[in-house]
Amino acid sequence: MAPPPQGLTVVQRCGSCDRPHGRPRLVEAPGTGVSLAHARGWVAAAAAADGPVGVDVEAVDDADVDWRTAEAVCTEEELAALRSDTHPRRAFLRQWVRKESLVKVGAGTLDEPAHLDVPVYGQEPPRWHGWRLLDWGGAEAVGCVAAREEMRLRLLG
């Protein structure tokens, strides 16, 4: 029988330097994948019974796209989609949360995010090399979860 959620202990420890940062895990359920994210007033958490899971969330604002950043982290196909979108900043954030969620499962690094040629949001199926991508969003935030298994989304107010 699984312990109640309030009885779980989340810890973080880096595999390289042994400091308290890095991928979170549950002490009481070490095989359960856990991922956490936050952005200006938003928090996201994800758990997967078997294996890694990654989650990211970004607050949506009225800022313009930083095209230098977009060019550094997006593929040419992604950039073309951003340029043709009526809301390029939101489109960029949608792609970014997909990439970040995949980085959190270990499928890539932030050193070369343009190598994560993730499907363009709304144009291609939400899968990448065996990973399922579950997107969500509203007027104020967008997010994505990456996992190998089927996912359900539960938004809490």
Side-chain angles (χ1 to χ4, degrees), residues 33-136:
V34 177
S35 185
L36 305 169
H38 61 88
R40 290 191 317 260
W42 296 92
V43 175
D50 298 309
V53 62
V55 66
D56 193 38
V57 63
E58 290 291 337
V60 176
D61 55 30
D62 293 331
D64 291 331
V65 172
D66 178 342
W67 288 106
R68 284 183 51 192
T69 299
E71 289 167 0
V73 303
C74 293
T75 65
E76 287 302 319
E77 181 181 3
E78 291 170 325
L79 287 169
L82 299 182
R83 289 185 179 111
S84 67
D85 198 286
T86 56
H87 301 286
R89 169 80 173 158
R90 175 180 283 277
F92 171 75
L93 293 173
R94 288 251 185 225
Q95 290 304 109
W96 179 255
V97 295
R98 284 182 163 198
K99 290 175 184 273
E100 180 75 19
S101 67
L102 288 165
V103 166
K104 289 183 175 185
V105 297
T109 71
L110 289 179
D111 295 331
E112 296 179 325
H115 287 124
L116 290 171
D117 57 338
V118 298
V120 173
Y121 177 82
Q123 295 181 13
E124 302 171 59
R127 293 180 184 264
W128 187 83
H129 298 276
W131 294 98
R132 297 171 186 257
L133 303 172
L134 178 62
D135 301 290
W136 77 90

